[in-house]
Amino acid sequence: MSILILADHQDGQLSSATAQVVAAAQQVQASTGGEIHVLVAGEGVAAVAEAAARLDGVAKVRVADHAVYAHQLAEPLGALIHKLASDYTHVLAAASTTGKNVLPRVAALKDVSQLSEIISVESADTFKRPIYAGNAIATVKSDDALKVITVRGTAFDAAAVSSQGQGSASIEAVDFVADNAQSIFIKEELAQSDRPELGAAKVVVSGGRGMGNGENFRLLDGIADKLGAAIGASRAAVDAGFVPNDMQVGQTGKIVAPDLYIAVGISGAIQHLAGMKDSKVIVAINKDEEAPIFQIADYGLVADLFQALPELEQRLG
C-alpha cells in the first residue's frame, strides 16, 4: 500500500515543508514499499502540482482543484482525504498550520489515533516524537491500519528536486468535491514583509523580554537586513505585547532550525528552546551570564544588548 502526503502551499507556491515530509515518507517507504503520492488541494493549483511532481521519490500527484478547497479549510480537506484514504496505509502532512488543522479531523473521521510531530521514522509503524517541550523523546508504535501523521519538518532534510524539467511523477485529477456545510471562509489578514518566512529562513534573529519594549525590536532590523534573516521572538516578548504572535518561536509558536539562530535578550526558557534548539549554530547575547540559553549556545556574548547590537550591525558592514 502507498503513502499519501498533503501538500502544503500558499499563494501558488509549494512550501519547502512538503519536501521535508517527502523525505520522511521515503523512510517509511523503505519499510513498506509502495508508492509516495502527493495530494494538492486548492483552486488554481496547477503550478503547485507541477512543483510537487518534481520532488524525488514522488510517484504520483493527485490534484483536487475546486473552489471548495480554495482556502484549505479543515472540513472539506478532511472529507477529501477521508474519501481517498482507503488506498493508503499512511497519511502524512507537515506540522504546519494546515497540517495541524486538517489531520486531526482526518484521524477522527477514520477513528484512528494521530501521531503528532514525529522527528524520526523507526519502522512503518514506529516513530519518535518529542514530549515535555522536547526534554524527552517518546517512541510510539501504532497498530492502526491507517497511520495519520504530522511531521516536524526541521528533523528531516528536504527531498531533492528532480533535474527533469517536468518531473517524473504523473499528475492526475481528483473529481471528488466535498460538501462543506460546517464552515465558511470569511477573510484573511496577511502581514506583508520583505524578509524570509520565519519557518523557512536560513538565518533567524530573535528578541526576548530583554528587548524592553516593542520599539527596541527595531534594533534587530539592521542586523536582519544584512544577514537576510527573519525576525522572531520569545513567548515572553509576545505575551508582553512587544510583537505580534506570528513572530513567536517556541513550543506553542514556530519550530525553526535555521543554519544560524541569534537569540537576543532571551533567557532560554524550556518553551523557547523546544522551538529552536535544532538550529545548526546558536548565538546568544544576554547580560545574565547564568541565563539557560548559554547552555545550548555555540557562541555566547555576555553583554548589554543595547550596546552589542549597534556594534554588531556596524561590524557586519
Side-chain angles (χ1 to χ4, degrees):
M1 296 290 280
S2 299
I3 302 163
L4 181 66
I5 295 171
L6 174 63
D8 214 277
H9 61 90
Q10 187 172 3
D11 298 329
Q13 300 291 322
L14 182 70
S15 168
S16 60
T18 303
Q20 295 166 329
V21 178
V22 170
Q26 288 173 330
Q27 295 184 23
V28 176
Q29 183 187 40
S31 298
T32 64
E35 295 183 341
I36 297 174
H37 297 174
V38 174
L39 171 64
V40 176
E43 185 177 23
V45 291
V48 177
E50 290 173 3
R54 290 194 292 271
L55 293 174
D56 281 354
V58 175
K60 181 185 293 184
V61 177
R62 307 185 72 175
V63 183
D65 196 329
H66 193 276
V68 74
Y69 306 122
H71 302 289
Q72 300 182 70
L73 300 179
E75 290 78 9
L77 282 186
L80 171 63
I81 297 173
H82 178 257
K83 175 73 173 179
L84 301 177
S86 59
D87 296 332
Y88 301 96
T89 56
H90 296 72
V91 174
L92 277 63
S96 61
T97 301
T98 300
K100 291 179 179 180
N101 192 30
V102 175
L103 258 59
R105 187 171 187 86
V106 174
L109 289 170
K110 299 300 292 185
D111 194 25
V112 299
S113 300
Q114 177 176 302
L115 302 175
S116 299
E117 298 204 39
I118 66 163
I119 59 171
S120 175
V121 176
E122 302 301 298
S123 68
D125 61 4
T126 306
F127 309 87
K128 288 186 176 181
R129 60 180 301 271
I131 59 174
Y132 302 129
N135 283 306
I137 304 299
T139 301
V140 183
K141 181 177 181 180
S142 171
D143 292 329
D144 290 324
L146 177 68
K147 315 294 192 287
V148 177
I149 302 167
T150 59
V151 177
R152 181 173 289 190
T154 56
F156 298 89
D157 294 330
V161 178
S162 173
S163 57
Q164 300 180 31
Q166 299 299 317
S168 58
S170 61
I171 299 177
E172 71 171 30
V174 176
D175 58 9
F176 176 75
V177 178
D179 180 19
N180 178 28
Q182 296 102 334
S183 65
I184 59 171
F185 175 79
I186 297 176
K187 66 175 182 177
E188 63 182 356
E189 297 180 6
L190 301 176
Q192 300 297 322
S193 176
D194 294 330
R195 294 198 176 91
E197 196 276 321
L198 183 57
K202 298 296 185 182
V203 181
V204 175
V205 182
S206 286
R209 191 194 300 273
M211 298 300 295
N213 56 54
E215 291 293 317
N216 290 334
F217 263 75
R218 294 179 180 176
L219 292 171
L220 304 178
D221 289 346
I223 295 171
D225 289 341
K226 291 181 178 181
L227 294 175
I231 295 181
S234 69
R235 178 174 178 171
V238 171
D239 287 350
F242 296 171
V243 292
N245 59 14
D246 61 353
M247 293 174 61
Q248 183 178 326
V249 173
Q251 184 183 12
T252 55
K254 303 285 179 63
I255 306 294
V256 301
D259 294 335
L260 173 62
Y261 188 89
I262 303 176
V264 182
I266 294 175
S267 64
I270 289 174
Q271 194 273 347
H272 186 76
L273 299 185
M276 46 66 70
K277 65 182 181 181
D278 290 331
S279 303
K280 307 299 186 294
V281 176
I282 300 172
V283 176
I285 302 174
N286 199 298
K287 66 181 181 181
D288 178 10
E289 63 182 23
E290 301 297 328
I293 191 72
F294 288 124
Q295 296 178 15
I296 67 162
D298 297 287
Y299 300 93
L301 175 61
V302 180
D304 184 335
L305 66 88
F306 297 105
Q307 296 177 3
L309 291 179
E311 184 175 349
L312 176 58
E313 182 179 349
Q314 184 180 11
R315 293 292 183 91
L316 288 172

